[in-house]
Amino acid sequence: MPVTTITLQLVTLFAAAFGAATILPFQSEVVFVGLQLAGQIGIGWLILVASIGNVLGAVVNYVLGRGIERFRHRRWFPASEAQLDRAQRWYGRWGVWTLLLSWAPFGDAFTVVAGMMRTPVWLFVLLVTLAKTGRYAALAWATAAASG
């Protein structure tokens, strides 16, 4: 079975959305908007594929958070002690509801902290899915409105 252009585009969108949800510096919005404007793939498929990729990327952060605490005092650790303490205090104050901000640029930190704080997986996935799917739906709507 040959790989079609649409399949390749969806795989690219999935990979961009996955990477954008991890601690890596990816941006999926450009890929999403480009594919939406090209008009070859239905908007429902774009939202679905981007959301699944983005949620799975957040799950990677969650898993990292579950095991990362044991490395927090190492020199190579990517966050300072103060940054970690601040994130944990924020999460402790606002709790799982911070995961509704997981779509925002700083939201990746919340997904890592959710793992560190042992948030139940089902609740994590539910809130992150709502947030990230909502973001892609809003992006699709804004793109459609701007492009006429």
Side-chain angles (χ1 to χ4, degrees):
M1 170 194 258
V3 175
T4 66
T5 302
I6 290 176
T7 302
L8 191 55
Q9 290 171 339
L10 288 173
V11 168
T12 300
L13 176 60
F14 177 89
F18 182 91
T22 65
I23 56 176
L24 301 174
F26 277 78
Q27 294 296 318
S28 62
E29 292 82 4
V30 173
V31 177
F32 185 95
V33 169
L35 291 174
Q36 182 178 354
L37 292 175
Q40 296 178 329
I41 304 170
I43 195 65
W45 282 107
L46 293 176
I47 292 170
L48 178 67
V49 169
S51 297
I52 291 171
N54 217 232
V55 169
L56 289 177
V59 169
V60 168
N61 290 347
Y62 177 90
V63 170
L64 287 172
R66 293 282 301 214
I68 205 162
E69 188 100 41
R70 66 178 178 244
F71 299 114
R72 88 186 279 171
H73 299 292
R74 303 268 173 101
R75 186 178 358 177
W76 53 262
F77 195 76
S80 71
E81 194 73 29
Q83 289 171 318
L84 271 178
D85 289 341
R86 188 173 343 130
Q88 286 180 313
R89 277 194 315 274
W90 179 271
Y91 195 84
R93 180 175 182 192
W94 300 103
V96 296
W97 303 115
T98 60
L99 293 173
L100 292 174
L101 298 173
S102 62
W103 60 269
F106 53 83
D108 299 336
F110 294 142
T111 60
V112 173
V113 173
M116 292 171 67
M117 301 294 281
R118 306 293 197 250
T119 300
V121 174
W122 71 269
L123 184 57
F124 174 85
V125 171
L126 174 69
L127 293 174
V128 168
T129 298
L130 288 172
K132 292 179 177 284
T133 301
R135 187 253 322 250
Y136 284 114
L139 179 61
W141 175 83
T143 300
S147 67

